[in-house]
Amino acid sequence: MPLPKERIYTAEDYWNLPKGRRAELIGGQLYDMAPPGFRHQKIVSALTRLIGNYMEAQHSSCEVIPAPFAVNLNADDTTYVEPDISVICDPDKLTERGCSGAPDLIIEVVSPGSRKMDYGKKMGLYMDADVREYWIIDPAKERTTIYRFEEDAAPMIVAFDQPVQSGIYSGLEITVSELLRGR
């Protein structure tokens, strides 16, 4: 007896989710997202503000967008993700429905339910989609993992009390422990 076929979800399913339901569409499968906690949101808010201020000081046209914000990495019908922070420097990628194509920088803040997704599935997606740089901020382990996909190098792991330096934005340096203290 043949196995039942797995349902393949599309952008239409994603955009028609019931109000209040947050999910990501990856490879035609829907993955529900749990609401983020206080520490997670504190980090996202502080980073969004800090990176936005940096971009403004540099007179950059890059947009710094926090979740919820749909990112259609490869502009196909089966993958929409919602990174915690997306930095997009190509204005042609931005639409009313989100980002169509890969952001330059993606930051994910790990939650207990997102660990496997952020370190595994999403890391591969972001690399394959030509995201230039990907940061995984892990509050439980108090470290940030940085992937600089353009350099094709091993990831760097930086403790929260050490500065994280962007490889694509000269002068962008963040110390996560200071963000958590409110500095």
Side-chain angles (χ1 to χ4, degrees), residues 61-63 88-96 98-100 104:
S61 61
C62 298
E63 296 286 344
I88 301 117
C89 298
D90 180 352
D92 292 335
K93 291 182 180 179
L94 295 169
T95 71
E96 281 304 308
C99 178
S100 185
D104 296 272

Side-chain angles (χ1 to χ4, degrees), residues 14-25:
Y14 174 78
W15 289 109
N16 289 306
L17 289 171
K19 186 176 180 169
R21 179 178 174 197
R22 286 191 58 214
E24 294 179 301
L25 177 65

